[in-house]
Amino acid sequence: MRAALPRHTRAWYILATSDELTRAGDKPLARELFGKPLVLFRGKDGTAGALLDRCPHRNVPLSLGRVVKNRLECAYHGWQFDSAGVCGFIPSLAGPSEGRGRRAPALAVRERQGFVWVYGAFDEEPRSEPHRFEKIDSPGYTTVSRQVEAGGTLCSTLENALDVPHTAFLHRGLFRTESRGITISAKVRATAQRVEVEYIGEPRPPGIVGKILSPSGGMVTHYDRFLLPSIAQVEYKIGEENHLLVDSVMTPVSDFVTRIYAVVSYKMRIPGFILKPALEPLAMRVFAQDARILERQSETIKRFGGEYFMSTEIDIIGKHILRLLKAAEAGESTPDESHEVALIV
Ligand code: FES
Ligand SMILES: [Fe+2]
């Protein structure tokens, strides 16, 4: 019954924001990825390093240590490791400090657009580069970043972020209103790297928010995308002037804990400083409802000793997420495919 959870390690994941790492100063940050303890630190030269959080000498967490120049010093006997995991100093030792068995396994790090990314496979040369947030620096756009933790598996949390049918039900009255009985069409396009669902024929949302955003009515252009390895991207265009892009980059902390780094960029008819105070509490309420349901889903999966999923054709994106992640983990490619699904909103 239990499908093994996919672990696509040859890919980039966010471990911290640049601010968090800078604020930590001499103290390293303890982190976790796929259940593996990691330590993140920034040398005095500004370069970030990520190592397995275990000193090769006596198994003490390196995250208990401190940064000395460009190295991380263990709190027990003071061995020092650079960002490649090489031991460069052992106090009291007369001979050379370096040695093969004295290395700490290291992860490649890239720091970009305010986030610290690590490549999930130890001591490997990355085969790709991290995701770029497209609108973060674009003129006319306001960007807001938040991080939250959900008690769900990576796949369930990704599916939740991209699942339309639950919005009118779990978030009744908040995000979408109850079904208006309008049949729309969802065009699904999948490649080996991503799945995109385009919703066609969705009218402007009713209610005050929709009216302010687009007084002339107009259609909504709405895309939901899953991008390997762990990004849920939601894009809305309402009328001519309003554009919203939400990138939720997820970090699989452990089997049932997923950290979400959400980057929301928008360009709206209404200025950002008016929109932000109104929309932020709403977004957090929506998230709290999602987090609660994911937590209960995880509890039930654990209680029954595995997952049991029964889907219909309107559970559009979940099966693609699992398929792409499993293929990527195995180093395989999946064929392109496309189809169309009708759903009532
Ligand atoms: S345990 Fe780390 S230096 Fe001894
Ligand atoms: Fe939701």
Side-chain angles (χ1 to χ4, degrees), residues 124-192:
E124 277 193 30
E125 207 43 60
R127 302 171 183 184
S128 59
E129 288 301 315
H131 172 73
R132 279 201 73 80
F133 297 102
E134 223 181 287
K135 297 294 180 194
I136 248 183
D137 313 305
S138 295
Y141 280 82
T142 304
T143 295
V144 182
S145 306
R146 289 282 175 277
Q147 53 171 302
V148 282
E149 203 159 90
T153 65
L154 175 64
C155 283
S156 291
T157 311
L158 282 165
E159 179 182 46
N160 171 265
L162 297 170
D163 174 60
V164 168
H166 87 278
T167 54
F169 199 80
L170 179 67
H171 308 305
R172 188 175 303 157
L174 276 185
F175 179 55
R176 271 198 175 74
T177 48
E178 263 186 89
S179 174
R180 286 175 279 167
I182 303 160
T183 304
I184 64 167
S185 152
K187 271 200 171 141
V188 186
R189 298 179 204 96
T191 69

Side-chain angles (χ1 to χ4, degrees), residues 34 64 68 149 221:
F34 293 111
L64 294 180
V68 176
E149 203 159 90
T221 311

Side-chain angles (χ1 to χ4, degrees), residues 28 30 36 39 57 59 66 99 110 124 127-128 141 162 167 170 172 174 188 219 236 258 260 263 267 277 313:
K36 276 238 158 57
V39 57
H57 182 218
N59 291 260
R66 59 171 185 158
R110 301 271 192 280
E124 277 193 30
R127 302 171 183 184
S128 59
Y141 280 82
L162 297 170
T167 54
L170 179 67
R172 188 175 303 157
L174 276 185
V188 186
M219 280 295 162
Y236 275 97
T258 301
I260 306 167
V263 175
K267 194 177 74 172
E313 52 274 32

